[in-house]
């Protein structure tokens, strides 16, 4: 177990077209035993960050420390961290037992007996103890991934570094392995940095999420903080599926004026906006209300463009009145039991306690949704801060 700290970590690659700033002045303090998920779109610098912690890349600037000791100058072998990649990279000619024990035999002074015990224990923990004499090509993808995890576990490292370890598995197995990995991490209580581009993995598995974009850390917080209290429009749009709706608006006489609607704001909301008039109104799909007709100040006439039935819920694409249906701007999620038809005229409610407002130029969050009113007197754990 260990605390892992990244202090002003920057990585610049040089190629024939110039410099690529892959990681830009990132500061993250990962607590002892914490499960931190590094998430962001392809190319945002996740893997490079992880590889720097592993010692596979050297930072251009900044320091990485483990339990207060700088490890930036140490080779991967000298750092007590274990990395698991998307490609399991198992030795095909070795059995599962051989794959799991090889690293310990090569790099430690542990006795054969100790190695045997560690391998047996890890295999039992992972439910692969009956596969120890098989070769990798006799295993399913999920089993191979477990072996790769087992190889990391037997090392009893200070930290696990996992780079998209579930990406090669099918959706059902991925979801099972998500839960398994969480339990495993809780049992082992080992500091874990987990890289993924999948926001569902980030939301469901992590103690905290670090959201990266263009090499820069956008936010670090609990999943619910990032979901309900995003620092900016990027985080708001990246976390959550379907994505938050964004409507460009201007502030005019206390109203948000969009192309097809005008939205009056209460005093408290207005007070958060300062002088900025170029804004973006954000509302999550599950917060939109679908009504028979629009009547209140925050309700607007609309027409249903497309309904995507998912069984448990329907995803409904809605255009404002006066807008071509195919240019629908709003996505709502509603119960799968509700019957909404394509081309139907409806009212759409945008409750003020659920709206977010972003600076139209910088993307910074100026106003985030009210949590108290939605959750009543039972605060939403993990999102109270900020
Ligand atoms: P993905 O999810 O696609 O793996 P990522 O978020 O892990 O993406 P990185 O692999 O860290 O992103 O890459 C960050 C940026 O650095 C990208 O623009 C990438 O092209 C660049 N990059 C990564 N490795 C190198 C390298 N060895 N030489 C030059 N550029 C690199």
């Amino acid at each position: 177990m260990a605390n892992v700290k990244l202090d002003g970590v920057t990585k610049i690659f040089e190629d024939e077209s110039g410099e690529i700033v892959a990681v830009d002045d990132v500061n993250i303090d990962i607590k002892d035993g914490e499960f931190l998920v590094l998430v962001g779109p392809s190319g945002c610098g996740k893997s490079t960050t992880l590889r720097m912690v592993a010692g596979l890349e050297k930072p251009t600037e900044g320091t990485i420390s483990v339990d207060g000791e700088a490890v930036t100058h140490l080779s991967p072998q000298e750092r007590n961290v274990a990395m698991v990649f998307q490609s399991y990279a198992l030795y095909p000619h070795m059995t599962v037992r051989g794959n799991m024990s090889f690293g310990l035999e090569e790099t430690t002074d542990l006795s054969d007996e100790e190695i045997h015990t560690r391998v047996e224990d890890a295999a039992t923990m992972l439910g692969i103890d009956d596969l120890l004499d098989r070769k990798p090509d006799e295993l399913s993808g999920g089993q191979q991934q477990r072996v790769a995890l087992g190889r990391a576990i037997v090392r009893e490292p200070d930290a696990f570094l996992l780079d998209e370890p579930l990406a090669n598995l099918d959706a059902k197995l991925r979801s099972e392995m998500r839960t398994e990995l969480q339990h495993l991490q809780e049992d082992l209580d080992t500091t874990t940095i987990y890289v993924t581009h999948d926001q569902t993995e980030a939301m469901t598995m992590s103690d905290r999420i670090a959201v990266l974009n263009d090499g820069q850390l956008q936010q670090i917080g609990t999943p619910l903080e990032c979901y309900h209290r995003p620092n900016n429009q990027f985080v708001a749009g990246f976390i959550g599926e379907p994505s938050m709706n964004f409507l460009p608006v201007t502030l005019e006489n206390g109203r948000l004026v969009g192309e097809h609607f005008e939205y009056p704001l209460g005093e408290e909301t207005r007070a958060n906006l300062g002088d900025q008039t170029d804004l973006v109104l954000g509302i999550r799909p599950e917060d939109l209300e679908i009504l028979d007709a629009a009547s209140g100040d925050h309700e607007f006439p609309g027409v249903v463009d497309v309904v995507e039935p998912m069984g448990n819920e329907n995803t409904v694409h809605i255009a404002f009145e006066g807008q071509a249906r195919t240019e629908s701007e709003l996505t709502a999620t509603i119960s799968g039991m509700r019957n909404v038809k394509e081309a139907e005229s409806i009212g759409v409610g945008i409750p003020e306690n659920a709206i977010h407002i972003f600076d139209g130029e910088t993307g910074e969050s100026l106003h985030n949704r009210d949590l108290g009113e939605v959750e009543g007197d039972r605060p939403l754990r993990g999102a109270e801060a900020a």
Side-chain angles (χ1 to χ4, degrees):
M1 295 219 295
N3 148 273
V4 178
K5 195 164 179 207
L6 282 73
D7 233 330
V9 170
T10 295
K11 178 70 188 180
I12 301 175
F13 291 108
E14 313 234 358
D15 69 6
E16 56 285 356
S17 58
E19 288 189 342
I20 300 159
V21 184
V23 178
D24 191 357
D25 192 17
V26 164
N27 297 291
I28 310 179
D29 194 350
I30 305 144
K31 298 182 203 117
D32 198 358
E34 186 173 25
F35 195 136
L36 182 102
V37 173
L38 266 181
V39 71
S42 184
C44 72
K46 309 178 290 290
S47 297
T48 305
T49 305
L50 199 70
R51 288 170 61 80
M52 287 192 283
V53 178
L56 298 169
E57 298 284 357
K58 203 170 163 353
T60 314
E61 272 175 49
T63 47
I64 297 168
S65 48
V66 176
D67 271 346
E69 302 249 342
V71 297
T72 327
H73 58 288
L74 298 182
S75 69
Q77 294 74 24
E78 291 168 318
R79 302 180 189 199
N80 191 22
V81 295
M83 188 144 172
V84 179
F85 299 94
Q86 173 179 347
S87 63
Y88 323 119
L90 301 177
Y91 296 112
H93 59 286
M94 286 186 191
T95 60
V96 168
R97 186 187 297 281
N99 268 285
M100 285 171 68
S101 58
F102 181 70
L104 294 182
E105 285 160 2
E106 291 297 303
T107 61
T108 69
D109 300 330
L110 293 173
S111 67
D112 288 352
E113 199 185 333
E114 173 67 9
I115 293 175
H116 180 83
T117 309
R118 284 199 191 184
V119 169
E120 294 278 334
D121 287 352
T124 306
M125 192 179 260
L126 292 160
I128 51 169
D129 41 334
D130 53 343
L131 305 176
L132 283 169
D133 296 321
R134 292 213 198 153
K135 299 265 180 66
D137 65 358
E138 297 164 333
L139 303 175
S140 71
Q143 290 165 338
Q144 290 185 41
Q145 188 51 275
R146 286 192 180 88
V147 178
L149 285 168
R151 196 168 45 181
I153 290 170
V154 294
R155 291 184 51 193
E156 299 183 356
D158 287 333
F160 290 120
L161 309 178
L162 309 179
D163 194 351
E164 306 245 11
L166 308 184
N168 286 349
L169 307 179
D170 67 49
K172 187 159 182 293
L173 190 55
R174 205 158 56 224
S175 139
E176 284 168 19
M177 287 290 286
R178 273 208 306 262
T179 320
E180 259 185 49
L181 265 179
Q182 268 173 284
H183 288 154
L184 198 63
Q185 200 268 346
E186 276 165 27
D187 290 347
L188 294 168
D189 204 19
T190 303
T191 310
T192 301
I193 310 179
Y194 184 106
V195 158
T196 181
H197 63 274
D198 179 347
Q199 63 90 33
T200 311
E201 285 183 10
M203 284 298 286
T204 54
M205 299 175 81
S206 67
D207 293 321
R208 281 191 306 162
I209 299 179
V211 186
L212 279 178
N213 189 32
D214 280 342
Q216 294 179 343
L217 187 61
Q218 305 293 310
Q219 183 159 3
I220 178 158
T222 65
L224 291 181
E225 269 164 24
C226 295
Y227 190 81
H228 292 301
R229 300 246 169 268
N231 279 350
N232 56 39
Q233 195 179 339
F234 177 82
V235 174
F238 192 79
I239 303 287
E241 175 61 37
S243 252
M244 187 184 281
N245 293 287
F246 295 122
L247 303 165
V249 289
T250 50
L251 181 65
E252 296 173 24
N253 302 320
R255 299 167 84 79
L256 298 179
V257 179
E259 206 182 334
H260 302 282
F261 69 100
E262 286 196 21
Y263 193 93
L265 291 179
E267 277 304 318
E268 279 184 36
T269 314
R270 260 173 76 181
N272 289 332
L273 305 183
D275 297 333
Q276 182 57 278
T277 53
D278 174 11
L279 303 166
V280 174
L281 172 64
I283 179 91
R284 294 227 175 255
E286 67 273 23
D287 291 322
L288 285 175
E289 293 166 353
I290 299 208
L291 313 158
D292 290 338
S295 58
D297 275 354
H298 295 144
E299 295 170 8
F300 307 92
V303 59
V304 175
D305 175 24
V306 173
V307 181
E308 297 170 302
M310 311 289 285
N312 62 334
E313 61 183 26
N314 292 319
T315 305
V316 186
H317 300 273
I318 305 156
F320 285 106
E321 190 179 67
Q323 184 178 33
R325 243 178 76 193
T326 49
E327 286 170 18
S328 59
E329 274 186 291
L330 293 171
T331 301
T333 45
I334 56 166
S335 160
M337 303 301 277
R338 267 192 80 181
N339 193 9
V340 179
K341 293 191 187 62
E342 287 177 16
E344 187 180 340
S345 290
I346 54 161
V348 54
I350 306 181
E352 190 173 356
N353 64 9
I355 63 169
H356 297 254
I357 302 175
F358 305 95
D359 186 312
E361 283 165 23
T362 64
E364 181 198 351
S365 289
L366 301 175
H367 170 83
N368 278 324
R369 69 162 309 150
D370 184 346
L371 284 175
E373 284 183 41
V374 220
E375 289 302 311
D377 53 7
R378 188 157 175 258
L380 200 51
R381 281 183 27 233
E384 306 91 334

